[in-house]
Amino acid sequence: MGQPQKPIAAEQQILSLGRVLQSLREEEDVDVLIETTISYLKEQFDYKLIWIALYDRLNHILFGKGGTTPDHDTSFLCQRVVLSPGDLLEQVVIEQHPLGVADLQTEIRAAEWRKMAEKFHIKGTIILPIRYKDRCLGLLLLGSERWGYLLPGEAKARLMMVLGELGAVLYQNEMDLQHKQTKRTDEPLLELLENLRTLTNLNQRLEAAVQATHKFVSPNRTNVYWFEREGRYFWCRMSNQLVKIDRNSSSQQAAGMTVQELSDFYYALTVNQIVSIGDARSSLKSHFTAKLLQRLKVRSLLAAPIIWQKNLLGFLAVESNEPRIWAEADKNFVQGAAGLISLVAPNESMESTIKQIQEDAQLTGQVAQGIYSEHDLQETLHSCAKKVLARLAATRFLLLQYDSEQNNYQIIYQSQPHNRRPLAFALNTLKELDEQLLQRSTQAVEIENLDEDLRFFSWRSLLLESGVRSLLVCKCTHGHIPGALLVITHETHRSWTTVEKELLWAVSQQIGVIVRQWQLHNRTTQQQKSSQAFEQCLRILTQSQNSKIEVEKKHLERTALEQIASISGCPLAVMLSWPLGESWAEIIPGVVENSQFGIFSDASIPIKTEALIQWALATESYLTLKVDNLPPETRKWLSVPDKGQILVMALRTNADYETTGVVLLADYQERRWSEQSLSATTTLISQLAWWRREKQITRLLESTTEELRQLNWYKHRRLEEIQRITALSLKQIHDLGIPANELTQMRYQLLLRQLDHTAASMSGMLKLEHWQLHLSWETMPIASLLKRSLERIENLLKQQKLWIGVHGLGQQIEEQSPKNSSLARGIPTSNAQSAMAIAGDIVKIELVIHELLINACNSSQSGGRIDIWCRRLDPSKPSDAKHSSAKLGADHQTSLELSITYNGAIEPQLLTELHDNTSKDVLASCNLDQPPGLHLLICQNLMQELGGELNFYQLPDNRVVSRLLLPLVGNDS
């Protein structure tokens, strides 16, 4: 199949090929080229169906250019064929390789050609691409009535040569056509530039630019829209329809379009982007494209921005009522014309611009001069604000300073027209993104429409309520959080030029110097305030007051709380106070400066269940928390706004001392106390805690001293009366004389001597120990001392049915029972034992031993046993030296160890307190404040003054030991 009609000589085939190739090279008309190719194919190849089509790359379509059919009807061969995925024709176009079909009638991938094949009985078919430089320009389809699609090599070579030459000629024709159709923008733009140079008026120049653009692009309308920053709208300043348009015109076109209506279109122009909207193509989002075309009442639009010094002056627009694909030449010309307009536009206001630059330089110079001169800073800011507002046509001038304690921006200076009220609120701290925006900024940050812009969102609601619709923000100082900001606002949506933003930036940097001066001044003032508060508080705390008057004490505490509130700047300062051992706390009000804060001062607060008190006691220093965290029980007596903040700190002096109060401070939402304020506040609270402790100790000691003086006066006067009556009775006995009976006389004299001794000892005590103890030096055998001590508790032993034994006096003493009437018989009286005598104030030592025996009897169970152990300690012996006290061992003096042991109950805490030699909290209750602990402590301290030692401990078998060390009389005494 696919064989030539008749075998011809090689020379004729070459001559025919040469003629057709020559014809293709010399012809320029595409239709003639197609006819020449078809004629050659009909002449040289035996095919019933020949079809040639050209390929449209943009629309992916084949345009039939003719061919031959068996019935000579070529209408089908001139139709347009849309290529679809999977078609044979599309496969050849994409792959650009020949494709053969053995039977076209059975090929399902060529639906239309199957019908044609069935009609003309076409079977074997071959499809070849017409290509040049990997670019498909069309297709050639050859169909035969025979089955198969073989093509001899020689015939295939001639066919490929013809198709190659045809492809080259078609490619060249296409390039020539594109070149002819392509518009040249250089000459029209040069002509427009020459026209603009000769014209002097801006409107004339705009008219020339519009006419040149309209002539080149040929749209339905060509307009120049001008941008008004105050109001943020565009108005048609010039049109190709040569209508005199004024911004004050009442026509709809002159009224213009607001930025809010244009939205995405406006923001594309501000970044110097050309906007192209044509047939199914748009450089904007689809939903906004339809809205823009409807607003302008057009079907196609091409707009180029007019920008001067980064400021949008307007845009040049060509508009068409029909869908249109804008050529690159059209886009380039419109963009070039808009650029030429931007070059000539500033010339109109050149003189006013120069004057404005001079005024701006003068403004910045006056601000700098005011800063570094001795004039009032407020006056400098007033003059600066007045000129800035006039220059920028703004409404408000706001200078903000970040307050770290309140965590917001305070308005430290503001200026506005007389018919506008000053802003009376603080602005919240900025979001992280806004802070980063200001940190990176090198000029003023512009918000043209506060209703739509999400920047500075934390300020948005307050500013909108105050009538602000647009603003400029400049940082005056640098830092992680900008410490000072300059804000210029306007009541309408508007924008500012780059020159205006640069001017405001320069002014803001100079105002930053003013802010730093203020900060230094405020810091100095705060330090002086803190110093004065410290001085005042310390003077109050150290002044002498009558501690017995509770009203004076509370007055001092309230005054101290006022000073603490003054330093911390809190509207509420109270103290929760309670005495040691109490379960309820009292509220001492200090400062309540606002009706939103309050306390129920008559409330009784349980210490153990009140959360604030327990939290403060569990915290080593101060604790801050939000009101939302307070339990309902606390809210019953404490009234603070829902978003307030609280600081509590316990009145703690030492970790070992009990806490008797908590200071509570309250403030508004998100209060952040500075480190300086916190340090001063905690120092004053700590000082108040020590002062309260000092006053409590002073009151306790004064009260105790007063009670002891009363007790001592009372007992001393009673002893004086007893001594007087005893002396009077003895005088009367002596006056009566001695009885005559010899036995009675002997007993009478014995009792009389005892009464004389008692009266004499009482006289010495009244004389020598009125207000302080008098230490005497006497000696007495230990046996005699123990005998006298046991005689004094004989009745108590009988009542308690106690057994007592004395050991270590040279021989074992038999145990004595309550049945023995005289315990003196159990005490040895040999000379050896009599020589073991103790030295010191015998009366006081005897009282100590008596107290220890009384404590042993009271602590023992009925029928129990008490043992008294005596042992001589020689410091020269190592085994004894470690048991003797350091004081006794230092003098190398022999001592006596007297231990009293018994089985009885004793509190472990009492043993610990008697054993510990550390400082104790005099305000805290303990076992040593009352008997028997108080009596044992007195005996322990008294023995230390007498040169001895007294210790208490418990043995592993639970026996309690009272160990007493007494100095023995030496051989040389």
Side-chain angles (χ1 to χ4, degrees), residues 33 68 160 185 238 250 387 415 555 570 582 659 805 807 864:
L33 290 172
T68 61
M160 296 306 295
T185 60
M238 186 59 62
S250 60
K387 294 180 179 180
S415 179
H555 172 70
C570 294
E582 291 291 331
T659 303
H807 314 276

Side-chain angles (χ1 to χ4, degrees), residues 622-761:
Y622 62 88
L623 175 66
T624 59
L625 62 153
K626 295 182 179 180
V627 177
D628 299 337
N629 300 328
L630 296 180
E633 291 75 10
T634 303
R635 302 295 294 272
K636 292 179 180 178
W637 61 268
L638 178 62
S639 176
V640 180
D642 292 337
K643 295 184 179 181
Q645 194 168 4
I646 291 176
L647 184 147
V648 290
M649 181 175 176
L651 293 171
R652 184 178 288 105
T653 53
N654 189 290
D656 298 330
Y657 297 161
E658 293 289 336
T659 303
T660 59
V662 170
V663 172
L664 185 149
L665 306 175
D667 209 330
Y668 296 98
Q669 179 183 12
E670 295 183 355
R671 171 63 186 268
R672 292 187 179 182
W673 290 279
S674 63
E675 292 296 330
Q676 180 182 1
S677 176
L678 283 175
S679 176
T681 301
T682 54
T683 302
L684 284 181
I685 293 177
S686 178
Q687 185 67 32
L688 176 61
W690 280 105
W691 174 83
R692 279 171 51 86
R693 175 175 173 79
E694 177 194 355
K695 289 299 181 182
Q696 290 173 352
I697 292 176
T698 302
R699 288 198 304 273
L700 176 62
L701 296 181
E702 288 178 351
S703 175
T704 304
T705 302
E706 184 177 357
E707 292 177 358
L708 291 178
R709 285 176 177 174
Q710 293 175 355
L711 180 63
N712 182 66
W713 171 84
Y714 167 72
K715 288 186 177 181
H716 198 79
R717 290 293 182 258
R718 288 298 303 268
L719 285 175
E720 286 179 347
E721 181 64 15
I722 293 173
Q723 189 272 340
R724 185 186 66 80
I725 295 175
T726 303
L728 181 61
S729 299
L730 285 174
K731 182 177 181 301
Q732 292 175 356
I733 291 175
H734 283 293
D735 292 341
L736 291 176
I738 301 175
N741 187 297
E742 182 178 355
L743 179 60
T744 304
Q745 182 180 9
M746 182 179 65
R747 297 185 60 186
Y748 179 83
Q749 290 178 346
L750 178 62
L751 294 175
L752 191 60
R753 283 197 298 272
Q754 291 178 352
L755 286 175
D756 288 335
H757 178 71
T758 302
S761 64

Side-chain angles (χ1 to χ4, degrees), residues 786-823:
L786 290 177
K787 180 178 179 180
R788 290 169 54 176
S789 299
L790 293 175
E791 287 177 349
R792 296 180 64 179
I793 64 170
E794 183 176 359
N795 291 333
L796 185 59
L797 292 174
K798 290 180 180 181
Q799 294 174 4
Q800 299 276 356
K801 297 180 181 181
L802 298 174
W803 298 79
I804 190 166
V806 181
H807 314 276
L809 293 181
Q811 66 179 19
Q812 182 67 31
I813 303 176
E814 295 182 357
E815 295 179 348
Q816 305 297 325
S817 69
K819 297 180 181 180
N820 295 334
S821 60
S822 177
L823 290 173

Side-chain angles (χ1 to χ4, degrees), residues 206-216 222 239-242:
L206 293 178
E207 182 180 353
V210 167
Q211 295 297 340
T213 304
H214 190 78
K215 179 180 179 181
F216 185 86
T222 302
S239 174
N240 69 298
Q241 299 174 359
L242 299 179

